[in-house]
Amino acid sequence: MAALPHDVPRQQVTEAIDRLIDNLVNIKDETGEFLLHLEDGRIIDTKGWAGWEWTHGVGLFGMWRYHEQTGDATALRIIKQWFADRFAEGQTTKNINTVAPFITLAYLHEREPDPANIPYLDEWAEWLMAPDGLPKTEDGGFQHIVYNDENPGELWDDTLMMSVLPLAKIGLLLNRPHYVEEAKRQFLVHIKYLFDKKTGLWFHGWDFNGRHNFAEALWARGNCWVTIAIPEIIEILDLPEGDALRTFLIDTLAAQVETLAETQHDSGLWHTLVMDPSSYLEASATAGFAYGILKAVRKGYLPERFEPVGIRAVRGVLANIDATGELRQVSFGTAMGDTLQFYKDIPLTSMPYGQSLAVLALAEFLRTYN
């Protein structure tokens, strides 16, 4: 069992968060290898803070959660400036991943209403819903379109975090119950095709064309989006005890976390293929698991016996944050793989979502001091 969390000085955690945020907003691609060149000539910076991708969406959300409980003015200023800068540049291509920032905008608007936000929230949520907007798979699933690939007929576990949570939050904010019902449906569709009944973990993706789960990879970072998304959707929708969807989601989460508890490495990290100890240890997924587990315990969705698992994960994350605020042991952006070796060969490198997920985890960990 882990020691009580409070033997980690609170100041150590807040200083680590400050370093992570500073690194996140100042990180630069010095080599050009992280630039995404699109067919229309645009170049998308997937590493720098000036871009518009899921990496930024997760970073904004982590900073929002930190500001929400601490009142940190720097985090709020960065969030507001990012939206101001991106909207001044003009909107980007709509895809599953570029919707990710809008959950933070929805929370910000809820706190500080601004009529200028409404057209953005409305337009992007309507694109997810419209028949001529985001393409849908069989069973009405959200097709996992990204900048450089439409992935026809494919469901990915990332989608719940990147697009479905924003849709639910916007639905409540704009009083559009059909958005909320669609968000619920997407969770059920994704569970139907991605949940592995043997382990309780989730496969990275499902292909309706070939009717398979690709490499059947139980990939850690893909799984961590689920560990985050389930407690979030229960909280966002305020699903009451006894609600059938709440019970179903908690049962699904508990099955996953049972296996995570059994497979956690002594370092507190998890392997990038959760069930394969020959695959390397990966810290960004660990941060996501830490956040989801600790939040689910705090909210009463999971029993307290899982709290030490989350605390060990936080310790593992803290041990991998260097003096510059970079989270080490982070795997590069990972497309869908057809072999398990594909995931084992993904290189480790500095990526903004490492810092983003670490901020999210440490912000939740701070609540254990209360």
Side-chain angles (χ1 to χ4, degrees):
M1 297 289 287
L4 289 172
H6 305 82
D7 68 351
V8 178
R10 192 179 194 280
Q11 185 177 350
Q12 178 185 345
V13 180
T14 57
E15 288 177 352
I17 291 173
D18 289 343
R19 295 201 312 275
L20 288 162
I21 292 176
D22 182 70
N23 184 291
L24 176 61
V25 301
N26 290 300
I27 191 172
K28 291 182 173 60
D29 178 9
E30 305 290 354
T31 65
E33 63 180 311
F34 301 105
L35 298 177
L36 187 61
H37 296 264
L38 304 183
E39 291 182 357
D40 61 10
R42 285 179 299 153
I43 299 175
I44 306 298
D45 184 356
T46 64
K47 191 166 186 174
W49 187 240
W52 188 328
E53 249 286 32
W54 67 268
T55 54
H56 310 92
V58 176
L60 292 163
F61 187 61
M63 283 187 276
W64 175 259
R65 286 296 190 222
Y66 180 50
H67 165 74
E68 189 177 46
Q69 63 168 302
T70 66
D72 186 83
T74 298
L76 182 61
R77 176 183 56 78
I78 292 170
I79 291 167
K80 290 181 174 180
Q81 192 62 54
W82 188 89
F83 282 110
D85 291 345
R86 299 295 80 73
F87 292 158
E89 293 169 358
Q91 297 186 58
T92 190
T93 303
K94 293 181 178 68
N95 61 51
I96 288 291
N97 289 338
T98 54
V99 178
F102 285 95
I103 188 170
T104 302
L105 186 66
Y107 274 108
L108 177 62
H109 182 83
E110 184 177 47
R111 173 87 65 82
E112 301 179 16
D114 182 348
N117 295 329
I118 298 297
Y120 294 105
L121 296 166
D122 171 76
E123 179 183 339
W124 284 69
E126 274 299 302
W127 174 78
L128 288 171
M129 295 289 295
D132 59 348
L134 172 70
K136 311 303 190 292
T137 68
E138 290 182 34
D139 283 7
F142 282 3
Q143 182 174 309
H144 194 85
I145 291 179
V146 294
Y147 272 119
N148 56 351
D149 201 333
E150 293 194 359
N151 299 313
E154 296 182 16
L155 297 176
W156 293 23
D157 49 14
D158 316 41
T159 298
L160 296 176
M161 177 74 186
M162 307 310 166
S163 282
V164 180
L165 291 181
L167 180 65
K169 185 63 183 175
I170 295 170
L172 292 175
L173 189 69
L174 301 185
N175 192 26
R176 295 180 184 173
H178 58 298
Y179 289 6
V180 172
E181 292 307 309
E182 185 60 36
K184 292 178 182 178
R185 178 191 183 199
Q186 289 305 317
F187 268 82
L188 295 173
V189 170
H190 282 73
I191 292 170
K192 179 178 180 180
Y193 290 101
L194 300 180
F195 180 77
D196 175 31
K197 293 185 290 294
K198 292 181 180 178
T199 65
L201 300 174
W202 286 47
F203 298 117
H204 188 184
W206 167 261
D207 180 15
F208 279 103
N209 302 303
R211 310 203 77 81
H212 57 72
N213 290 110
F214 297 93
E216 298 190 356
L218 302 173
W219 176 50
R221 192 162 61 242
N223 267 269
C224 93
W225 301 128
V226 175
T227 320
I228 295 170
I230 289 179
E232 289 298 325
I233 194 67
I234 295 172
E235 181 181 65
I236 288 170
L237 301 184
D238 194 21
L239 299 177
E241 289 190 34
D243 177 87
L245 177 60
R246 172 187 163 121
T247 301
F248 183 73
L249 290 172
I250 289 174
D251 289 346
T252 302
L253 178 64
Q256 184 202 46
V257 175
E258 285 281 5
T259 295
L260 290 176
E262 294 167 0
T263 53
Q264 188 176 29
H265 186 263
D266 289 344
S267 64
L269 306 185
W270 278 270
H271 296 275
T272 196
L273 292 174
V274 175
M275 304 296 291
D276 184 355
S278 71
S279 64
Y280 57 74
L281 295 168
E282 210 281 336
S284 70
T286 297
F289 291 144
Y291 175 80
I293 291 170
L294 290 176
K295 176 162 188 170
V297 171
R298 174 172 60 84
K299 298 289 290 187
Y301 308 150
L302 291 178
E304 290 185 0
R305 65 185 175 88
F306 288 120
E307 185 180 49
V309 179
I311 292 171
R312 283 194 292 271
V314 166
R315 292 179 182 278
V317 169
L318 283 169
N320 280 281
I321 300 170
D322 69 15
T324 70
E326 175 190 325
L327 182 66
R328 299 174 308 225
Q329 285 296 123
V330 171
S331 60
F332 185 54
T334 306
M336 192 61 60
D338 290 321
T339 67
L340 296 179
Q341 190 62 42
F342 168 85
Y343 294 88
K344 296 166 80 168
D345 290 342
I346 295 293
L348 293 166
T349 184
S350 171
M351 290 301 288
Y353 48 80
Q355 285 71 262
S356 300
L357 283 163
V359 170
L360 198 60
L362 295 184
E364 178 62 33
F365 180 66
L366 282 178
R367 294 181 183 271
T368 65
Y369 291 81
N370 298 330

